[in-house]
Amino acid sequence: MSFVTYATRDGSTWTPEYLMSIDHELCIGCGRCFKVCTMGVLKLQGVDEEGNFCDPFDDDEGEVERKVMTIEKAGACIGCASCQTVCGTKAQKHAPLAA
Ligand code: SF4
Ligand code: SF4
């Protein structure tokens, strides 16, 4: 199988590794990936005790059980893999695009 490739500045072949999924069993919502993503792909979400997403920053009533990172704009990902590099829990899956 061949994959979509681009060129680096010196013309070398570069194969982007796009963010495909985040395993919410492994993600601890640390936010490190959010900080390095320049494309606005990611969004932090709170999770309530029933497993529903909620506002992670509005916890006046103590409903936020934990936080997880979600993929908000998958199509904006450029496949730089910076988020994978900083993730300490191996929660993310990345893959190239089939050509
Ligand atoms: S691979 Fe790059 S562009 Fe895509 S979500 Fe991760 S940091 Fe953002
Ligand atoms: S860096 Fe990893 S553990 Fe931290 S929020 Fe991102 S996906 Fe979750």
Side-chain angles (χ1 to χ4, degrees), residues 2 29 37 45 47 60 65 80 84 87 89 98:
S2 60
C37 180
Q45 290 277 18
V47 181
D60 290 347
E65 291 286 308
C80 68
Q84 186 176 39
C87 180
T89 68

Side-chain angles (χ1 to χ4, degrees), residues 12-92:
S12 302
T13 299
W14 173 56
T15 306
E17 296 267 339
Y18 299 97
L19 176 60
M20 307 305 287
S21 63
I22 298 174
D23 185 337
H24 288 164
E25 297 298 317
L26 296 175
C27 177
I28 57 173
C30 67
R32 293 175 72 179
C33 54
F34 181 87
K35 288 179 184 167
V36 299
C37 180
T38 60
M39 297 303 294
V41 173
L42 300 162
K43 181 178 182 181
L44 189 67
Q45 290 277 18
V47 181
D48 67 18
E49 65 180 11
E50 284 153 7
N52 300 313
F53 287 150
C54 56
D55 186 340
F57 305 111
D58 181 11
D59 197 26
D60 290 347
E61 295 175 17
E63 67 172 350
V64 180
E65 291 286 308
R66 63 192 186 97
K67 297 175 183 177
V68 295
M69 198 60 65
T70 62
I71 302 173
E72 174 78 353
K73 296 178 185 168
C77 179
I78 58 173
C80 68
S82 296
C83 53
Q84 186 176 39
T85 302
V86 299
C87 180
T89 68
K90 300 189 187 312
Q92 303 175 12

Side-chain angles (χ1 to χ4, degrees), residues 1-5 15 96-99:
M1 180 184 287
S2 60
F3 299 107
V4 171
T5 61
T15 306
L97 283 186

